[in-house]
Amino acid sequence: MSDDDIDYVARHKVVHFGAIDGAGIPEAGDGDNIQVSTQYIALDKDAHNQEKIAMLEEFERKRKVKAINVSTSDTEVKEDLRKLGEPICLFGEGPADRRNRLRELLGRLGEDVIKRRRIMDDMTKEDDEERTDKTEQTWYHEGPDSLRVSREWIAQFSIPRAKARLARIKEEAEMPEKTRMAAQQEVQKRVKNLDVVASQIADTRPVSYCQFSPDSQMLATASWSGVCKLWRTEDCGLVRTLRGHATHVGAITWCPTAKMDLESSEPALASCSSDGSVKLWSLDSEEPLADIEGHDARVSRCEYHPSGRFLATAVWDNSWRLWDLEQLTEVLHQEGHSKEVYCVSFQQDGALAVSGGLDSFGRVWDLRTGQCIMFLEGHLKGVTGADWSPDGYHIVTASQDNSCKVWDLRKRNIEYTIPAHTNLVSNVKFEKNNGEFLLSSSYDNTARLWASKTWLPLATLQGHDNKLSGCDISPDSKTIATCSFDRTFKLWSYNQS
Protein backbone atom coordinates (compact mmCIF):
# COMPACT_ATOMS: atom_id res chain seq x y z
CA MET A 1 0.00 0.00 0.00
CA SER A 2 1.38 3.32 -0.93
CA ASP A 3 1.84 6.20 1.46
CA ASP A 4 -1.02 8.10 -0.29
CA ASP A 5 -3.43 5.25 0.29
CA ILE A 6 -2.42 4.98 3.94
CA ASP A 7 -3.00 8.71 4.31
CA TYR A 8 -6.42 8.43 2.62
CA VAL A 9 -7.38 5.57 4.97
CA ALA A 10 -6.29 7.60 7.96
CA ARG A 11 -8.43 10.56 6.89
CA HIS A 12 -11.55 8.55 5.99
CA LYS A 13 -11.08 5.63 8.40
CA VAL A 14 -11.59 3.08 5.70
CA VAL A 15 -10.39 -0.22 7.23
CA HIS A 16 -11.22 -3.83 6.61
CA PHE A 17 -10.85 -6.69 9.10
CA GLY A 18 -10.41 -10.25 8.11
CA ALA A 19 -14.00 -11.32 8.83
CA ILE A 20 -17.14 -10.67 10.87
CA ASP A 21 -18.25 -13.20 13.47
CA GLY A 22 -21.80 -14.10 14.28
CA ALA A 23 -22.06 -11.40 16.92
CA GLY A 24 -21.11 -8.77 14.39
CA ILE A 25 -17.66 -8.26 15.93
CA PRO A 26 -14.86 -7.93 13.45
CA GLU A 27 -12.30 -10.70 13.65
CA ALA A 28 -8.65 -9.88 13.47
CA GLY A 29 -6.63 -11.37 10.71
CA ASP A 30 -3.40 -13.21 11.06
CA GLY A 31 -1.24 -11.48 13.54
CA ASP A 32 -4.17 -9.00 14.23
CA ASN A 33 -2.82 -6.89 11.44
CA ILE A 34 -5.30 -4.44 9.89
CA GLN A 35 -5.84 -5.21 6.22
CA VAL A 36 -6.79 -2.24 4.08
CA SER A 37 -9.01 -3.10 1.16
CA THR A 38 -7.76 -1.44 -2.01
CA GLN A 39 -11.13 -2.16 -3.66
CA TYR A 40 -13.09 -0.13 -1.12
CA ILE A 41 -10.50 2.65 -1.26
CA ALA A 42 -10.96 2.94 -5.04
CA LEU A 43 -14.76 3.02 -4.79
CA ASP A 44 -14.72 5.68 -2.10
CA LYS A 45 -12.28 7.80 -4.07
CA ASP A 46 -14.60 7.62 -7.12
CA ALA A 47 -17.58 8.68 -5.00
CA HIS A 48 -15.58 11.55 -3.59
CA ASN A 49 -14.58 12.71 -7.07
CA GLN A 50 -18.20 12.55 -8.28
CA GLU A 51 -19.26 14.63 -5.30
CA LYS A 52 -16.63 17.22 -6.10
CA ILE A 53 -17.73 17.32 -9.77
CA ALA A 54 -21.37 17.74 -8.76
CA MET A 55 -20.44 20.56 -6.41
CA LEU A 56 -18.49 22.29 -9.17
CA GLU A 57 -21.37 21.89 -11.65
CA GLU A 58 -23.83 23.29 -9.13
CA PHE A 59 -21.50 26.19 -8.40
CA GLU A 60 -21.17 26.88 -12.15
CA ARG A 61 -24.95 26.66 -12.64
CA LYS A 62 -25.56 29.14 -9.83
CA ARG A 63 -22.98 31.47 -11.32
CA LYS A 64 -24.71 31.35 -14.70
CA VAL A 65 -28.15 31.81 -13.13
CA LYS A 66 -26.91 34.81 -11.21
CA ALA A 67 -25.59 36.31 -14.46
CA ILE A 68 -28.97 36.01 -16.25
CA ASN A 69 -30.62 39.40 -16.80
CA VAL A 70 -34.23 39.49 -15.63
CA SER A 71 -36.51 42.53 -15.92
CA THR A 72 -37.03 44.58 -12.79
CA SER A 73 -40.65 45.17 -13.81
CA ASP A 74 -42.90 42.80 -11.92
CA THR A 75 -45.46 42.99 -14.74
CA GLU A 76 -42.91 41.81 -17.30
CA VAL A 77 -41.73 39.08 -14.95
CA LYS A 78 -45.29 37.79 -14.63
CA GLU A 79 -45.72 37.93 -18.40
CA ASP A 80 -42.53 35.88 -18.90
CA LEU A 81 -43.69 33.33 -16.33
CA ARG A 82 -47.02 33.09 -18.13
CA LYS A 83 -45.22 32.45 -21.44
CA LEU A 84 -43.32 29.61 -19.76
CA GLY A 85 -46.56 28.09 -18.51
CA GLU A 86 -45.68 28.73 -14.88
CA PRO A 87 -47.87 30.27 -12.13
CA ILE A 88 -47.39 34.03 -12.11
CA CYS A 89 -47.61 34.14 -8.33
CA LEU A 90 -47.11 31.67 -5.54
CA PHE A 91 -48.48 31.96 -2.03
CA GLY A 92 -46.39 34.38 0.01
CA GLU A 93 -44.17 35.20 -2.95
CA GLY A 94 -43.00 38.78 -3.43
CA PRO A 95 -41.58 40.51 -6.54
CA ALA A 96 -37.96 39.66 -5.57
CA ASP A 97 -38.83 35.99 -5.00
CA ARG A 98 -40.68 35.95 -8.32
CA ARG A 99 -37.63 37.33 -10.13
CA ASN A 100 -35.44 34.66 -8.54
CA ARG A 101 -37.88 31.94 -9.57
CA LEU A 102 -37.88 33.20 -13.16
CA ARG A 103 -34.08 33.35 -13.14
CA GLU A 104 -33.92 29.73 -11.91
CA LEU A 105 -36.32 28.64 -14.68
CA LEU A 106 -34.25 30.38 -17.33
CA GLY A 107 -31.10 28.80 -15.96
CA ARG A 108 -32.68 25.36 -16.26
CA LEU A 109 -34.52 25.81 -19.61
CA GLY A 110 -32.13 28.15 -21.37
CA GLU A 111 -31.93 31.92 -21.42
CA ASP A 112 -33.38 32.18 -24.94
CA VAL A 113 -36.49 30.10 -24.23
CA ILE A 114 -38.67 33.21 -23.86
CA LYS A 115 -37.32 34.65 -27.10
CA ARG A 116 -38.29 31.42 -28.89
CA ARG A 117 -41.75 31.51 -27.32
CA ARG A 118 -42.23 35.13 -28.47
CA ILE A 119 -41.27 34.24 -32.03
CA MET A 120 -43.77 31.38 -32.00
CA ASP A 121 -46.48 33.68 -30.57
CA ASP A 122 -45.78 36.30 -33.25
CA MET A 123 -46.06 33.66 -35.96
CA THR A 124 -49.35 32.46 -34.49
CA LYS A 125 -50.61 36.05 -34.24
CA GLU A 126 -49.74 36.70 -37.88
CA ASP A 127 -51.60 33.56 -38.90
CA ASP A 128 -54.63 34.66 -36.86
CA GLU A 129 -54.53 38.14 -38.41
CA GLU A 130 -54.27 36.65 -41.87
CA ARG A 131 -57.28 34.46 -41.19
CA THR A 132 -59.15 37.46 -39.75
CA ASP A 133 -58.32 39.55 -42.80
CA LYS A 134 -59.65 36.84 -45.03
CA THR A 135 -62.91 36.60 -43.09
CA GLU A 136 -63.43 40.33 -42.51
CA GLN A 137 -62.18 41.76 -45.76
CA THR A 138 -64.38 43.90 -47.99
CA TRP A 139 -66.03 41.90 -50.70
CA TYR A 140 -66.19 43.23 -54.24
CA HIS A 141 -68.68 41.59 -56.56
CA GLU A 142 -67.95 41.38 -60.25
CA GLY A 143 -70.46 43.77 -61.71
CA PRO A 144 -72.15 43.92 -65.11
CA ASP A 145 -70.82 45.89 -68.05
CA SER A 146 -73.25 48.65 -67.15
CA LEU A 147 -71.26 49.20 -63.93
CA ARG A 148 -68.14 50.18 -65.89
CA VAL A 149 -70.24 52.59 -67.94
CA SER A 150 -71.75 54.01 -64.74
CA ARG A 151 -68.35 54.49 -63.10
CA GLU A 152 -67.01 56.34 -66.14
CA TRP A 153 -70.14 58.50 -66.26
CA ILE A 154 -69.86 59.34 -62.54
CA ALA A 155 -66.19 60.27 -62.96
CA GLN A 156 -67.01 62.65 -65.81
CA PHE A 157 -69.90 64.13 -63.81
CA SER A 158 -67.88 64.67 -60.62
CA ILE A 159 -64.75 66.32 -62.08
CA PRO A 160 -66.27 69.75 -62.94
CA ARG A 161 -68.23 69.79 -59.67
CA ALA A 162 -65.05 69.06 -57.70
CA LYS A 163 -63.25 71.90 -59.50
CA ALA A 164 -66.07 74.31 -58.68
CA ARG A 165 -66.07 73.21 -55.03
CA LEU A 166 -62.32 73.67 -54.66
CA ALA A 167 -62.49 77.09 -56.30
CA ARG A 168 -65.23 78.12 -53.87
CA ILE A 169 -63.23 76.89 -50.88
CA LYS A 170 -60.13 78.72 -52.11
CA GLU A 171 -62.13 81.91 -52.54
CA GLU A 172 -63.52 81.63 -49.02
CA ALA A 173 -60.02 81.02 -47.64
CA GLU A 174 -58.77 84.20 -49.30
CA MET A 175 -61.44 86.29 -47.63
CA PRO A 176 -60.28 88.44 -44.71
CA GLU A 177 -60.46 86.60 -41.41
CA LYS A 178 -62.70 89.28 -39.89
CA THR A 179 -65.18 89.01 -42.74
CA ARG A 180 -65.41 85.23 -42.41
CA MET A 181 -65.78 85.39 -38.64
CA ALA A 182 -68.45 88.09 -38.86
CA ALA A 183 -70.49 86.08 -41.39
CA GLN A 184 -70.23 82.93 -39.31
CA GLN A 185 -71.21 84.74 -36.11
CA GLU A 186 -74.22 86.29 -37.87
CA VAL A 187 -75.46 82.89 -39.01
CA GLN A 188 -74.99 81.38 -35.58
CA LYS A 189 -76.72 84.33 -33.95
CA ARG A 190 -79.78 83.84 -36.13
CA VAL A 191 -79.79 80.10 -35.49
CA LYS A 192 -79.95 80.70 -31.76
CA ASN A 193 -83.25 82.55 -32.30
CA LEU A 194 -85.03 79.68 -34.01
CA ASP A 195 -88.66 79.20 -33.05
CA VAL A 196 -91.58 77.03 -34.13
CA VAL A 197 -93.50 78.58 -37.02
CA ALA A 198 -95.75 75.59 -37.79
CA SER A 199 -96.82 72.29 -36.27
CA GLN A 200 -98.90 69.81 -38.25
CA ILE A 201 -100.42 66.40 -37.51
CA ALA A 202 -99.24 64.45 -40.53
CA ASP A 203 -100.63 60.96 -40.04
CA THR A 204 -102.33 58.50 -37.73
CA ARG A 205 -99.04 56.64 -37.19
CA PRO A 206 -95.53 57.90 -36.30
CA VAL A 207 -93.88 60.10 -38.93
CA SER A 208 -90.63 58.33 -39.80
CA TYR A 209 -88.88 60.75 -42.20
CA CYS A 210 -88.99 64.23 -43.66
CA GLN A 211 -87.08 66.09 -46.38
CA PHE A 212 -87.32 69.46 -48.11
CA SER A 213 -87.68 69.78 -51.87
CA PRO A 214 -84.75 71.24 -53.85
CA ASP A 215 -86.52 74.63 -54.06
CA SER A 216 -87.40 74.59 -50.31
CA GLN A 217 -91.10 75.11 -51.14
CA MET A 218 -92.36 71.65 -50.18
CA LEU A 219 -91.74 69.08 -47.47
CA ALA A 220 -92.15 65.34 -48.03
CA THR A 221 -93.05 63.14 -45.08
CA ALA A 222 -93.20 59.35 -44.67
CA SER A 223 -95.03 57.41 -41.98
CA TRP A 224 -95.52 53.98 -40.53
CA SER A 225 -98.96 53.79 -42.10
CA GLY A 226 -97.31 53.31 -45.50
CA VAL A 227 -98.51 56.72 -46.72
CA CYS A 228 -96.25 59.54 -47.91
CA LYS A 229 -97.39 63.15 -48.13
CA LEU A 230 -96.25 66.42 -49.67
CA TRP A 231 -96.77 69.70 -47.79
CA ARG A 232 -96.28 73.36 -48.62
CA THR A 233 -93.71 74.90 -46.30
CA GLU A 234 -95.40 78.28 -46.48
CA ASP A 235 -98.64 77.30 -44.75
CA CYS A 236 -98.29 73.50 -44.13
CA GLY A 237 -101.08 72.86 -46.63
CA LEU A 238 -101.36 69.31 -47.98
CA VAL A 239 -100.28 69.12 -51.63
CA ARG A 240 -100.40 65.42 -52.43
CA THR A 241 -100.92 62.05 -50.70
CA LEU A 242 -98.80 59.26 -52.15
CA ARG A 243 -100.29 55.79 -51.63
CA GLY A 244 -98.55 52.61 -52.64
CA HIS A 245 -96.64 51.08 -49.75
CA ALA A 246 -98.26 48.39 -47.62
CA THR A 247 -96.07 48.79 -44.53
CA HIS A 248 -93.70 51.16 -42.69
CA VAL A 249 -92.00 53.65 -44.98
CA GLY A 250 -88.39 54.23 -43.91
CA ALA A 251 -87.59 57.27 -46.03
CA ILE A 252 -88.74 59.49 -48.88
CA THR A 253 -86.21 61.57 -50.79
CA TRP A 254 -86.32 64.20 -53.52
CA CYS A 255 -84.53 63.94 -56.85
CA PRO A 256 -82.11 66.92 -56.91
CA THR A 257 -82.87 67.58 -60.59
CA ALA A 258 -86.65 67.23 -60.32
CA LYS A 259 -88.88 69.87 -61.89
CA MET A 260 -91.01 71.47 -59.19
CA ASP A 261 -94.12 71.37 -61.36
CA LEU A 262 -97.21 69.62 -60.05
CA GLU A 263 -98.11 68.71 -63.61
CA SER A 264 -94.76 67.05 -64.33
CA SER A 265 -94.80 63.33 -64.96
CA GLU A 266 -91.03 62.91 -64.52
CA PRO A 267 -89.64 61.08 -61.46
CA ALA A 268 -89.37 63.51 -58.55
CA LEU A 269 -89.22 61.33 -55.42
CA ALA A 270 -88.24 57.87 -54.23
CA SER A 271 -89.40 56.01 -51.13
CA CYS A 272 -88.55 52.72 -49.45
CA SER A 273 -90.22 50.50 -46.86
CA SER A 274 -89.62 47.64 -44.48
CA ASP A 275 -91.00 45.04 -46.90
CA GLY A 276 -88.15 45.77 -49.32
CA SER A 277 -90.21 47.74 -51.83
CA VAL A 278 -88.77 50.89 -53.45
CA LYS A 279 -91.04 53.18 -55.43
CA LEU A 280 -90.57 56.20 -57.68
CA TRP A 281 -93.09 59.03 -57.71
CA SER A 282 -93.98 61.94 -59.95
CA LEU A 283 -95.69 65.15 -58.82
CA ASP A 284 -98.75 64.75 -61.05
CA SER A 285 -100.08 61.54 -59.53
CA GLU A 286 -100.82 59.86 -56.21
CA GLU A 287 -99.86 56.46 -57.65
CA PRO A 288 -96.24 55.26 -57.93
CA LEU A 289 -94.57 55.88 -61.25
CA ALA A 290 -92.39 52.75 -61.07
CA ASP A 291 -91.24 50.01 -58.72
CA ILE A 292 -87.61 49.04 -58.19
CA GLU A 293 -87.63 45.31 -57.56
CA GLY A 294 -84.84 43.09 -56.34
CA HIS A 295 -84.58 43.61 -52.58
CA ASP A 296 -85.13 40.56 -50.39
CA ALA A 297 -84.85 42.42 -47.08
CA ARG A 298 -85.90 45.65 -45.43
CA VAL A 299 -84.75 48.89 -47.08
CA SER A 300 -84.25 51.47 -44.34
CA ARG A 301 -83.00 54.45 -46.40
CA CYS A 302 -82.71 55.55 -50.01
CA GLU A 303 -80.74 58.47 -51.42
CA TYR A 304 -80.48 60.12 -54.85
CA HIS A 305 -77.12 60.68 -56.45
CA PRO A 306 -76.50 64.43 -57.08
CA SER A 307 -76.93 63.78 -60.80
CA GLY A 308 -80.43 62.40 -60.28
CA ARG A 309 -79.56 59.44 -62.49
CA PHE A 310 -78.74 56.94 -59.73
CA LEU A 311 -80.46 55.87 -56.53
CA ALA A 312 -78.75 54.18 -53.58
CA THR A 313 -80.62 51.90 -51.20
CA ALA A 314 -79.48 50.75 -47.74
CA VAL A 315 -80.60 47.15 -47.27
CA TRP A 316 -80.81 44.90 -44.23
CA ASP A 317 -78.97 42.08 -46.01
CA ASN A 318 -75.69 43.78 -44.96
CA SER A 319 -75.30 45.55 -48.31
CA TRP A 320 -76.17 48.71 -50.15
CA ARG A 321 -77.09 48.94 -53.81
CA LEU A 322 -76.84 51.43 -56.63
CA TRP A 323 -79.57 51.60 -59.27
CA ASP A 324 -79.46 53.23 -62.69
CA LEU A 325 -82.87 54.89 -62.97
CA GLU A 326 -82.61 55.39 -66.70
CA GLN A 327 -82.72 51.62 -67.19
CA LEU A 328 -84.20 50.63 -63.81
CA THR A 329 -81.35 48.16 -63.34
CA GLU A 330 -79.03 47.39 -60.44
CA VAL A 331 -75.46 48.29 -61.36
CA LEU A 332 -73.81 47.73 -57.97
CA HIS A 333 -74.44 45.36 -55.08
CA GLN A 334 -71.90 46.41 -52.45
CA GLU A 335 -71.17 44.39 -49.33
CA GLY A 336 -68.69 45.30 -46.62
CA HIS A 337 -70.72 45.58 -43.40
CA SER A 338 -71.14 42.71 -40.96
CA LYS A 339 -74.66 43.78 -39.98
CA GLU A 340 -77.57 45.65 -41.52
CA VAL A 341 -76.74 48.76 -43.57
CA TYR A 342 -78.94 51.54 -42.22
CA CYS A 343 -78.04 54.67 -44.20
CA VAL A 344 -76.15 55.90 -47.24
CA SER A 345 -75.26 59.43 -48.37
CA PHE A 346 -73.52 60.99 -51.39
CA GLN A 347 -70.85 63.66 -51.46
CA GLN A 348 -72.03 66.73 -53.39
CA ASP A 349 -69.46 66.12 -56.13
CA GLY A 350 -71.02 62.72 -56.71
CA ALA A 351 -67.67 60.89 -56.59
CA LEU A 352 -67.93 59.44 -53.08
CA ALA A 353 -70.54 57.81 -50.88
CA VAL A 354 -70.65 56.93 -47.20
CA SER A 355 -72.58 53.99 -45.76
CA GLY A 356 -73.42 53.40 -42.11
CA GLY A 357 -74.34 50.08 -40.57
CA LEU A 358 -75.72 48.65 -37.36
CA ASP A 359 -72.30 47.03 -36.91
CA SER A 360 -71.25 50.48 -35.55
CA PHE A 361 -68.98 51.17 -38.53
CA GLY A 362 -69.10 53.46 -41.52
CA ARG A 363 -67.36 53.08 -44.86
CA VAL A 364 -66.47 55.66 -47.49
CA TRP A 365 -66.64 54.39 -51.07
CA ASP A 366 -65.11 55.78 -54.25
CA LEU A 367 -67.85 55.32 -56.84
CA ARG A 368 -65.36 55.74 -59.68
CA THR A 369 -63.25 52.74 -58.67
CA GLY A 370 -65.44 50.80 -56.27
CA GLN A 371 -62.85 50.85 -53.48
CA CYS A 372 -63.47 51.49 -49.80
CA ILE A 373 -61.13 54.44 -49.17
CA MET A 374 -61.86 55.03 -45.48
CA PHE A 375 -63.12 52.93 -42.59
CA LEU A 376 -65.05 54.88 -39.97
CA GLU A 377 -64.36 53.12 -36.68
CA GLY A 378 -65.24 54.74 -33.37
CA HIS A 379 -68.93 54.43 -32.57
CA LEU A 380 -69.94 51.99 -29.86
CA LYS A 381 -73.31 51.13 -31.40
CA GLY A 382 -75.03 51.20 -34.77
CA VAL A 383 -74.74 54.14 -37.16
CA THR A 384 -78.20 55.58 -37.85
CA GLY A 385 -77.41 58.64 -39.97
CA ALA A 386 -74.65 60.16 -42.10
CA ASP A 387 -74.19 63.35 -44.11
CA TRP A 388 -71.50 65.22 -46.06
CA SER A 389 -70.37 68.78 -45.47
CA PRO A 390 -70.44 71.10 -48.50
CA ASP A 391 -66.63 71.29 -48.23
CA GLY A 392 -66.52 67.71 -49.48
CA TYR A 393 -64.14 66.27 -46.90
CA HIS A 394 -66.05 66.43 -43.62
CA ILE A 395 -68.51 63.66 -42.76
CA VAL A 396 -70.84 63.51 -39.77
CA THR A 397 -72.37 60.29 -38.45
CA ALA A 398 -75.13 59.72 -35.89
CA SER A 399 -75.32 56.65 -33.71
CA GLN A 400 -77.31 54.63 -31.24
CA ASP A 401 -74.56 55.43 -28.71
CA ASN A 402 -76.13 58.94 -28.29
CA SER A 403 -73.24 60.71 -30.03
CA CYS A 404 -72.33 62.29 -33.34
CA LYS A 405 -68.84 62.03 -34.79
CA VAL A 406 -67.23 64.39 -37.27
CA TRP A 407 -64.68 62.77 -39.60
CA ASP A 408 -61.99 64.44 -41.70
CA LEU A 409 -61.43 62.60 -44.96
CA ARG A 410 -58.07 64.33 -45.49
CA LYS A 411 -56.69 63.18 -42.14
CA ARG A 412 -58.54 59.85 -42.37
CA ASN A 413 -59.52 60.17 -38.73
CA ILE A 414 -62.10 61.47 -36.25
CA GLU A 415 -61.98 65.22 -35.87
CA TYR A 416 -64.45 65.55 -33.02
CA THR A 417 -66.95 63.52 -31.01
CA ILE A 418 -70.11 65.43 -30.07
CA PRO A 419 -71.86 64.08 -26.94
CA ALA A 420 -75.05 65.15 -28.65
CA HIS A 421 -78.02 63.66 -26.80
CA THR A 422 -79.16 61.53 -23.88
CA ASN A 423 -80.73 58.91 -26.16
CA LEU A 424 -80.31 57.40 -29.60
CA VAL A 425 -79.51 59.96 -32.34
CA SER A 426 -81.92 59.26 -35.20
CA ASN A 427 -80.46 61.54 -37.89
CA VAL A 428 -77.95 64.31 -38.52
CA LYS A 429 -77.63 66.94 -41.27
CA PHE A 430 -75.14 69.58 -42.37
CA GLU A 431 -76.34 73.04 -43.38
CA LYS A 432 -76.29 72.74 -47.16
CA ASN A 433 -74.69 75.98 -48.37
CA ASN A 434 -71.52 76.48 -46.34
CA GLY A 435 -71.82 73.85 -43.63
CA GLU A 436 -72.08 76.56 -40.96
CA PHE A 437 -73.88 74.29 -38.48
CA LEU A 438 -75.15 70.78 -37.81
CA LEU A 439 -78.64 69.59 -36.94
CA SER A 440 -79.24 66.38 -34.98
CA SER A 441 -82.48 64.70 -33.89
CA SER A 442 -82.86 62.20 -31.09
CA TYR A 443 -85.09 59.84 -29.19
CA ASP A 444 -84.73 62.21 -26.22
CA ASN A 445 -87.55 64.29 -27.84
CA THR A 446 -85.24 67.13 -28.91
CA ALA A 447 -83.27 68.38 -31.88
CA ARG A 448 -80.03 70.31 -31.42
CA LEU A 449 -77.85 72.59 -33.49
CA TRP A 450 -74.06 72.65 -33.36
CA ALA A 451 -71.57 75.21 -34.64
CA SER A 452 -69.16 73.97 -37.29
CA LYS A 453 -65.40 74.05 -36.62
CA THR A 454 -65.91 74.34 -32.84
CA TRP A 455 -68.79 71.84 -32.70
CA LEU A 456 -70.25 73.65 -29.69
CA PRO A 457 -74.03 73.69 -29.02
CA LEU A 458 -75.99 76.58 -30.48
CA ALA A 459 -79.63 75.78 -29.68
CA THR A 460 -82.00 73.05 -28.49
CA LEU A 461 -85.33 72.64 -30.28
CA GLN A 462 -87.95 71.42 -27.83
CA GLY A 463 -91.64 70.95 -28.51
CA HIS A 464 -92.33 67.37 -29.59
CA ASP A 465 -94.07 65.02 -27.17
CA ASN A 466 -92.28 61.89 -28.31
CA LYS A 467 -89.12 60.58 -29.94
CA LEU A 468 -87.79 62.43 -32.98
CA SER A 469 -87.37 60.13 -35.95
CA GLY A 470 -85.84 62.59 -38.40
CA CYS A 471 -84.84 66.14 -39.30
CA ASP A 472 -83.79 68.25 -42.28
CA ILE A 473 -82.52 71.71 -43.22
CA SER A 474 -83.99 73.46 -46.24
CA PRO A 475 -81.61 74.13 -49.18
CA ASP A 476 -82.04 77.89 -48.65
CA SER A 477 -81.04 77.40 -44.97
CA LYS A 478 -84.09 79.36 -43.78
CA THR A 479 -86.20 76.56 -42.32
CA ILE A 480 -85.66 73.43 -40.26
CA ALA A 481 -88.06 70.49 -40.14
CA THR A 482 -88.39 67.81 -37.47
CA CYS A 483 -90.70 64.78 -37.41
CA SER A 484 -91.67 62.57 -34.52
CA PHE A 485 -93.39 59.52 -33.13
CA ASP A 486 -96.04 61.95 -31.86
CA ARG A 487 -97.41 61.86 -35.48
CA THR A 488 -96.49 65.48 -36.20
CA PHE A 489 -93.85 67.46 -38.02
CA LYS A 490 -92.73 70.92 -36.99
CA LEU A 491 -91.15 73.75 -38.94
CA TRP A 492 -88.64 76.03 -37.25
CA SER A 493 -87.47 79.36 -38.63
CA TYR A 494 -85.95 82.69 -37.59
CA ASN A 495 -86.33 86.33 -38.49
CA GLN A 496 -84.40 87.04 -41.71
CA SER A 497 -84.28 90.80 -41.22
Side-chain angles (χ1 to χ4, degrees):
M1 180 182 301
S2 66
D3 294 339
D4 291 340
D5 291 338
I6 294 172
D7 183 62
Y8 185 85
V9 169
R11 289 198 309 271
H12 294 84
K13 300 180 180 178
V14 179
V15 296
H16 179 64
F17 297 92
I20 300 177
D21 64 7
I25 305 298
E27 295 181 356
D30 295 342
D32 294 332
N33 293 325
I34 298 176
Q35 302 293 326
V36 181
S37 174
T38 58
Q39 180 179 3
Y40 278 89
I41 292 172
L43 289 174
D44 202 23
K45 286 180 68 176
D46 290 341
H48 178 67
N49 290 336
Q50 291 295 330
E51 182 180 352
K52 289 174 66 177
I53 292 172
M55 289 176 63
L56 290 173
E57 289 178 349
E58 178 67 15
F59 177 78
E60 182 66 17
R61 187 189 68 80
K62 289 184 177 180
R63 186 185 65 79
K64 289 182 178 180
V65 167
K66 191 175 181 180
I68 293 175
N69 291 323
V70 176
S71 174
T72 57
S73 170
D74 193 47
T75 302
E76 294 181 6
V77 170
K78 290 181 178 179
E79 183 179 346
D80 290 342
L81 287 170
R82 186 178 289 110
K83 287 182 181 298
L84 296 175
E86 296 290 331
I88 64 172
C89 186
L90 299 179
F91 180 76
E93 184 181 54
D97 300 328
R98 200 157 25 249
R99 290 182 68 231
N100 291 334
R101 180 158 61 92
L102 175 61
R103 189 179 281 112
E104 289 287 341
L105 287 170
L106 295 179
R108 186 168 67 251
L109 300 175
E111 192 173 354
D112 61 342
V113 63
I114 293 180
K115 186 182 296 185
R116 294 198 301 269
R117 295 285 177 91
R118 284 174 179 167
I119 294 174
M120 294 177 61
D121 291 344
D122 290 342
M123 293 175 62
T124 304
K125 185 178 180 181
E126 289 178 1
D127 293 340
D128 292 341
E129 289 178 352
E130 184 177 354
R131 286 193 292 269
T132 301
D133 291 340
K134 289 181 179 179
T135 58
E136 296 184 359
Q137 65 183 351
T138 301
W139 292 94
Y140 296 96
H141 288 272
E142 182 177 353
D145 292 337
S146 57
L147 177 58
R148 178 180 59 82
V149 175
S150 299
R151 295 202 191 283
E152 292 176 352
W153 191 93
I154 289 173
Q156 294 298 323
F157 173 82
S158 64
I159 290 173
R161 292 174 67 92
K163 289 182 177 179
R165 174 176 57 83
L166 293 174
R168 175 175 55 82
I169 293 175
K170 184 178 180 180
E171 182 180 351
E172 292 175 356
E174 292 175 351
M175 291 174 57
E177 182 70 21
K178 290 184 178 180
T179 304
R180 290 204 309 269
M181 292 295 295
Q184 186 175 6
Q185 289 174 2
E186 181 63 25
V187 171
Q188 294 178 2
K189 182 179 178 181
R190 290 203 304 266
V191 166
K192 291 180 180 179
N193 295 324
L194 279 168
D195 199 5
V196 178
V197 295
S199 181
Q200 178 67 46
I201 297 177
D203 204 273
T204 58
R205 299 294 304 280
V207 181
S208 56
Y209 201 82
C210 63
Q211 190 179 74
F212 284 100
S213 62
D215 63 356
S216 304
Q217 299 303 308
M218 283 189 284
L219 181 74
T221 61
S223 77
W224 282 11
S225 66
V227 174
C228 300
K229 295 181 180 181
L230 306 181
W231 308 84
R232 288 189 300 271
T233 56
E234 183 180 3
D235 58 1
C236 288
L238 181 62
V239 176
R240 191 84 72 210
T241 300
L242 309 178
R243 304 179 186 276
H245 289 287
T247 184
H248 300 175
V249 181
I252 182 167
T253 59
W254 289 87
C255 176
T257 60
K259 295 180 180 178
M260 295 295 102
D261 182 1
L262 294 179
E263 303 300 324
S264 174
S265 59
E266 296 181 3
L269 301 109
S271 61
C272 57
S273 70
S274 59
D275 61 1
S277 63
V278 178
K279 299 182 182 296
L280 302 181
W281 309 85
S282 62
L283 295 179
D284 67 342
S285 174
E286 295 186 353
E287 300 295 325
L289 183 66
D291 289 345
I292 297 179
E293 299 178 349
H295 300 100
D296 299 325
R298 173 181 173 180
V299 181
S300 54
R301 293 286 187 267
C302 58
E303 183 80 9
Y304 270 98
H305 187 264
S307 66
R309 174 175 174 173
F310 302 97
L311 182 74
T313 53
V315 194
W316 282 40
D317 61 1
N318 304 359
S319 72
W320 67 274
R321 308 186 187 193
L322 189 68
W323 302 81
D324 187 337
L325 299 182
E326 290 187 357
Q327 303 178 17
L328 291 179
T329 58
E330 177 188 298
V331 294
L332 175 64
H333 178 191
Q334 183 62 67
E335 293 182 342
H337 290 273
S338 59
K339 288 187 178 181
E340 298 86 349
V341 179
Y342 196 85
C343 59
V344 62
S345 179
F346 290 105
Q347 182 198 43
Q348 290 187 354
D349 296 350
L352 306 176
V354 59
S355 60
L358 298 185
D359 55 3
S360 78
F361 302 124
R363 289 181 178 267
V364 181
W365 307 89
D366 189 335
L367 301 176
R368 300 161 296 183
T369 64
Q371 293 181 332
C372 176
I373 62 173
M374 184 174 175
F375 185 58
L376 310 183
E377 181 180 12
H379 282 295
L380 302 178
K381 295 183 180 180
V383 177
T384 52
D387 197 26
W388 289 84
S389 169
D391 63 22
Y393 54 84
H394 277 118
I395 304 169
V396 62
T397 54
S399 172
Q400 295 173 332
D401 63 9
N402 308 350
S403 73
C404 296
K405 291 185 182 293
V406 180
W407 311 79
D408 193 325
L409 191 60
R410 302 168 303 175
K411 300 176 182 177
R412 302 175 65 83
N413 205 347
I414 297 174
E415 180 171 303
Y416 196 81
T417 297
I418 305 174
H421 293 272
T422 59
N423 207 330
L424 177 153
V425 184
S426 56
N427 209 350
V428 64
K429 294 288 183 180
F430 264 108
E431 186 268 326
K432 296 178 173 59
N433 292 323
N434 298 306
E436 296 288 353
F437 58 88
L438 286 175
L439 171 67
S440 62
S441 59
S442 170
Y443 277 17
D444 64 6
N445 301 3
T446 67
R448 293 182 179 177
L449 293 107
W450 312 87
S452 63
K453 296 182 176 61
T454 62
W455 314 117
L456 297 176
L458 293 176
T460 299
L461 309 182
Q462 295 178 316
H464 284 285
D465 298 328
N466 209 326
K467 298 176 288 189
L468 269 66
S469 52
C471 61
D472 196 29
I473 304 171
S474 64
D476 61 10
S477 301
K478 296 180 179 179
T479 312
I480 287 174
T482 55
C483 58
S484 169
F485 279 65
D486 63 10
R487 302 174 291 114
T488 71
F489 71 86
K490 295 182 187 295
L491 300 181
W492 310 74
S493 188
Y494 47 82
N495 187 1
Q496 295 293 311
S497 58

